[in-house]
Amino acid sequence: MKLPSFKIQIIVIMFILLVLLGLLTRYFFMTQFNDYSQDITSLNLYDKVHNLYSKHKDAIDKEEVSPILTDINKIELTTYLFRKDMTLYSTLYVVISGLVVLMILLIFLTLITRPLNRLQADTKKIAAGDLKVRVRESKFSPINGLIVSFNNMVEELESNRDKLLQAEKDLMWREMAQVMAHEIKNPLTPLRLSAQRLEQKYYNKSSDFDKVFTDSLEIMNEEIDNLQTLVQEFSKFARMPSANYTEYNLNDQIKEIVKPYENQVDVQINLQENMPVFYGDKMQMKQVFVNLIQNALQSIKENGRISISTRYEDSKFMIIFKDNGEGIKDEDLDKIFRPYFTKREKGTGLGLAIVKRIVSQHNGTIKVESEKGKGTRFTIIIQLGTSHYGCNDSLPKTDGIRKVRKEYQ
Amino acid sequence: MLEALSRQITTLVIAASSLFSSHVTPIFDNCSYHLQDNVLVFSGRIINCYTKDIDQIMQSGQEIVLEFTYRIHEQNHEMPLHMNSETHSIKYDVVDRFFTIDKTESRENFIFLDFSEAKQNFVLLEVLDIQHIDFFEEGRKYYFEVTAYLHSVYLEEMEKNIELMKYWNNKSPTYRSPVFSIDDLKS
């Protein structure tokens, strides 16, 4: 059974307490008053005086006794009317004061619960990563201090996050600069050696100059190609275009992507049927899947097998890539998503970094599990309808979410 | 404690219901009008007009005055052509224990030992002279209204005023006759 809201619970409890308090107050005063008024009526003054007059009719003049009896009746009448009025007004007092206190309570609770609801809603946004959110202040609310402190805390968090991001960015660029310098230095050595060798053979008029010339030219061209590939990959990574979100069928996309690889390796796909439409950048997601497949292909030696499966649970898309390749060492698992980290001779070290970056841009996560010699498993998790979060502002964000959810239901 | 609370709740409910029940809506009943010795006379009585409080006040020896006001209108005219009033007063003799009712329209006093009979008679209009037939003109249409009003009771020395009309929800019972002409009255 679902309990009523906090506000309703408080109101009901307070109402019961108020009624009890009102009744007790009323009981106290009315008991006192009734005691006094009962005393007056129980005296039977009218009957006593009238009996006296009846017994001594001859001795007492009617004109003398009449005002006395009238006054006694007046007293009893006013006591009766007053008691009745008191009963009525005390009831009204209990009801009206109860209603007034309830109204005040309602206003007070509204001043608490409304900002609390805002706080709760905004906390969810903040938990989703939007640190730009600020809870609207409510000047008259008793919890306004809490809101102000909360906003200050979020501001501080945002500032710290920006600083952290900047620091990470600086670190990444430093690492990249080091790697780039190293990568550029590698082809430079054979280039220089080839040039020096050519120069030497040329001035010495060496008989094998032609052969050396051909060999050196081949080495130089190869190293220039390597440098060109390096520059292209770096350029691709550095200038990743902003996402273009659309709704499409994720399973269809995976089926399409794996086709060219089916001749090279055993590809097993296990896709969940009736998945809701996916909302994301189709081109970028294609790059994610292609990079993961290529990464798997590079690690597979013989009888290679790649299995791809999709699942949809708790409003989350789950895409799993599994291979039976050579696997990744435990100490390298933390580094594989870093730019320019590679253990292969021909790798640029940017493939998985790009994957990570695209998945993050879709507000998703990527997890890697690997066992040396047995294979690797990548799990991508992306929340339904939030994949656009924090991206291109020109996108129909809320409409997109609503539409996707509607189709799912 | 619980007993006291339950008693309080019961009293509260009774008091709340008395907010509605301690008032009545009196109406004129058994009304008729006709010519009697060339005078238009009205007779009727008020019913549903007593409450326990009014009974208590009547039996306390205070004089209660009930005023009947009657107005003659020409059809479709708000302004009355003629207006007058008569009163009934009732007083309980606290020494000899009887009720005296004075009716100005008949210039008579009635004495009752029984309270119920006194109450019945107090609100009864046996013959109320509305107007002489000469007042009404040929070819014109008229109607008349009779309203009743309870005067407040003032308790001297205690300086307390009891508004009796509150027991009638501050609404006077009113009788409005059908439209008639002088020929209708004669027939």
Side-chain angles (χ1 to χ4, degrees):
Chain A
M1 192 181 75
K2 196 183 170 190
L3 280 171
S5 69
F6 170 73
K7 197 161 135 181
I8 301 289
Q9 286 180 47
I10 293 287
I11 286 171
V12 169
I13 292 166
M14 288 305 287
F15 182 73
I16 293 167
L17 287 175
L18 274 171
V19 168
L20 289 176
L21 188 69
L23 287 174
L24 281 172
T25 315
R26 189 176 174 279
Y27 172 73
F28 175 75
F29 287 110
M30 285 305 290
T31 310
Q32 297 294 314
F33 176 74
N34 282 339
D35 283 350
Y36 287 116
S37 60
Q38 288 293 344
D39 288 347
I40 293 168
T41 45
S42 62
L43 286 173
N44 290 324
L45 283 173
Y46 177 86
D47 290 339
K48 284 175 186 169
V49 174
H50 198 272
N51 286 342
L52 191 70
Y53 166 72
S54 301
K55 280 180 191 169
H56 307 285
K57 250 183 184 172
D58 301 333
I60 304 169
D61 188 5
K62 185 187 172 183
E63 298 305 317
E64 286 175 27
V65 80
S66 180
I68 298 168
L69 287 173
T70 306
D71 285 349
I72 291 169
N73 272 355
K74 271 187 202 172
I75 292 165
E76 288 190 353
L77 176 69
T78 48
T79 308
Y80 164 79
L81 292 174
F82 187 62
R83 191 195 300 173
K84 206 154 179 274
D85 285 350
M86 276 292 284
T87 310
L88 192 68
Y89 293 136
S90 63
T91 306
L92 283 175
Y93 162 78
V94 170
V95 173
I96 291 169
S97 59
L99 286 173
V100 168
V101 175
L102 264 183
M103 289 271 285
I104 294 167
L105 194 69
L106 200 68
I107 294 166
F108 185 73
L109 281 174
T110 306
L111 283 173
I112 291 178
T113 52
R114 200 171 281 176
L116 269 180
N117 289 341
R118 281 205 299 268
L119 195 66
Q120 193 180 14
D122 290 343
T123 307
K124 279 181 187 168
K125 287 182 192 166
I126 289 162
D130 184 4
L131 293 180
K132 295 273 176 220
V133 170
R134 296 289 179 277
V135 184
R136 188 156 55 84
E137 289 183 23
S138 196
K139 211 163 75 178
F140 300 105
S141 171
I143 62 157
N144 198 40
L146 174 70
I147 293 170
V148 172
S149 304
F150 183 83
N151 283 341
N152 289 342
M153 184 192 74
V154 176
E155 209 163 302
E156 193 69 23
L157 269 176
E158 191 189 8
S159 161
N160 286 341
R161 187 188 65 172
D162 291 346
K163 281 179 196 165
L164 195 68
L165 283 175
Q166 191 56 45
E168 275 180 5
K169 220 183 266 181
D170 290 347
L171 182 70
M172 193 186 81
W173 281 110
R174 265 201 299 277
E175 279 181 5
M176 274 176 65
Q178 281 172 5
V179 174
M180 279 293 286
H182 180 71
E183 292 294 320
I184 291 167
K185 217 163 72 182
N186 281 347
L188 280 180
T189 310
L191 275 174
R192 177 174 286 176
L193 287 172
S194 298
Q196 282 172 355
R197 195 175 167 208
L198 268 179
E199 190 183 21
Q200 197 183 9
K201 294 286 179 184
Y202 176 74
Y203 286 118
N204 292 342
K205 307 276 183 204
S206 181
S207 57
D208 61 343
F209 176 76
D210 287 349
K211 189 182 178 302
V212 171
F213 179 78
T214 313
D215 290 348
S216 299
L217 213 59
E218 197 180 326
I219 292 167
M220 287 165 85
N221 277 332
E222 193 181 326
E223 294 307 330
I224 287 166
D225 283 347
N226 285 343
L227 274 172
Q228 206 166 5
T229 310
L230 191 74
V231 169
Q232 275 171 357
E233 289 297 318
F234 178 74
S235 175
K236 205 190 283 180
F237 178 75
R239 290 189 289 124
M240 192 171 277
S242 59
N244 180 23
Y245 287 82
T246 51
E247 290 171 12
Y248 66 93
N249 190 310
L250 196 68
N251 287 346
D252 288 350
Q253 187 185 30
I254 291 170
K255 283 178 204 164
E256 203 178 300
I257 288 167
V258 299
K259 266 181 198 167
Y261 298 98
E262 282 170 348
N263 295 330
Q264 301 174 39
V265 69
D266 176 18
V267 181
Q268 296 176 348
I269 53 172
N270 178 23
L271 310 175
Q272 183 182 315
E273 288 180 8
N274 302 322
M275 283 222 299
V277 283
F278 185 75
Y279 188 67
D281 185 306
K282 201 171 179 181
M283 288 308 293
Q284 287 191 0
M285 288 307 291
K286 183 181 178 181
Q287 198 173 355
V288 168
F289 302 146
V290 168
N291 284 5
L292 287 174
I293 292 170
Q294 280 176 344
N295 188 72
L297 284 174
Q298 284 166 7
S299 70
I300 287 168
K301 284 179 179 169
E302 287 173 354
N303 301 323
R305 191 178 65 248
I306 299 173
S307 69
I308 305 168
S309 59
T310 55
R311 277 216 306 269
Y312 181 78
E313 283 174 7
D314 303 329
S315 304
K316 285 173 189 161
F317 290 94
M318 199 179 283
I319 309 128
I320 302 158
F321 281 76
K322 203 174 162 188
D323 65 61
N324 61 346
E326 58 191 2
I328 305 164
K329 285 181 188 169
D330 282 350
E331 61 264 31
D332 293 336
L333 280 174
D334 291 342
K335 300 172 196 162
I336 58 164
F337 294 113
R338 284 187 193 170
Y340 296 105
F341 177 82
T342 182
K343 286 282 180 180
R344 298 183 189 113
E345 284 177 15
K346 298 240 170 183
T348 59
L350 287 172
L352 289 177
I354 289 169
V355 166
K356 166 95 174 171
R357 190 164 164 181
I358 292 171
V359 170
S360 299
Q361 204 170 359
H362 282 71
N363 202 30
T365 56
I366 182 162
K367 193 171 74 174
V368 59
E369 295 157 281
S370 187
E371 202 173 331
K372 195 70 188 159
K374 287 195 173 174
T376 308
R377 175 189 160 113
F378 287 95
T379 308
I380 298 169
I381 297 171
I382 296 175
Q383 180 88 26
L384 169 75
T386 60
S387 55
H388 64 283
Y389 184 77
C391 297
N392 196 337
D393 286 340
S394 64
L395 292 164
K397 293 178 181 177
T398 48
D399 288 348
I401 297 170
R402 212 171 290 133
K403 198 170 174 187
V404 171
R405 285 195 176 143
K406 194 177 170 188
E407 284 178 23
Y408 173 59
Q409 283 158 359
Chain B
M1 178 75 173
L2 274 175
E3 193 189 342
L5 266 176
S6 65
R7 203 165 59 229
Q8 278 298 298
I9 291 168
T10 314
T11 321
L12 197 75
V13 172
I14 292 167
S17 60
S18 76
L19 271 172
F20 307 99
S21 66
S22 66
H23 299 86
V24 287
T25 308
I27 50 167
F28 273 99
D29 182 48
N30 206 18
C31 299
S32 65
Y33 62 96
H34 59 276
L35 275 181
Q36 186 177 305
D37 301 330
N38 286 328
V39 174
L40 172 64
V41 295
F42 167 79
S43 63
R45 61 183 174 141
I46 305 169
I47 56 165
N48 195 29
C49 55
Y50 290 110
T51 67
K52 197 182 166 194
D53 290 1
I54 294 177
D55 290 355
Q56 288 281 337
I57 297 163
M58 277 179 147
Q59 288 174 302
S60 71
Q62 299 304 310
E63 187 178 47
I64 293 177
V65 178
L66 175 62
E67 184 175 340
F68 294 96
T69 305
Y70 52 95
R71 298 174 182 84
I72 302 170
H73 295 260
E74 192 175 354
Q75 189 184 14
N76 302 324
H77 285 78
E78 286 296 313
M79 283 288 285
L81 299 171
H82 173 74
M83 189 175 91
N84 204 351
S85 67
E86 302 291 350
T87 56
H88 290 185
S89 61
I90 186 168
K91 192 172 182 350
Y92 179 60
D93 188 316
V94 290
V95 180
D96 293 327
R97 292 176 171 173
F98 63 85
F99 291 91
T100 309
I101 297 172
D102 288 335
K103 294 186 176 180
T104 56
E105 78 271 18
S106 59
R107 295 182 188 85
E108 276 183 296
N109 290 340
F110 302 88
I111 289 172
F112 293 93
L113 292 173
D114 183 71
F115 183 41
S116 296
E117 284 178 21
K119 278 162 69 180
Q120 292 294 318
N121 189 269
F122 181 57
V123 291
L124 180 68
L125 271 172
E126 276 179 300
V127 180
L128 177 66
D129 293 349
I130 302 290
Q131 189 53 275
H132 192 272
I133 196 162
D134 291 346
F135 178 83
F136 303 104
E137 293 176 19
E138 288 283 347
R140 294 172 78 174
K141 300 271 187 184
Y142 303 92
Y143 70 92
F144 69 87
E145 278 182 347
V146 182
T147 57
Y149 175 82
L150 273 173
H151 286 210
S152 57
V153 173
Y154 183 70
L155 302 180
E156 284 173 27
E157 291 151 2
M158 289 181 165
E159 294 179 355
K160 184 174 171 59
N161 205 37
I162 304 169
E163 289 292 342
L164 294 182
M165 278 303 283
K166 76 177 178 184
Y167 300 112
W168 283 5
N169 283 322
N170 289 309
K171 283 179 188 165
S172 296
T174 301
Y175 169 77
R176 182 175 171 153
S177 75
V179 176
F180 60 85
S181 65
I182 192 164
D183 294 331
D184 296 332
L185 292 175
K186 285 176 181 171
S187 61

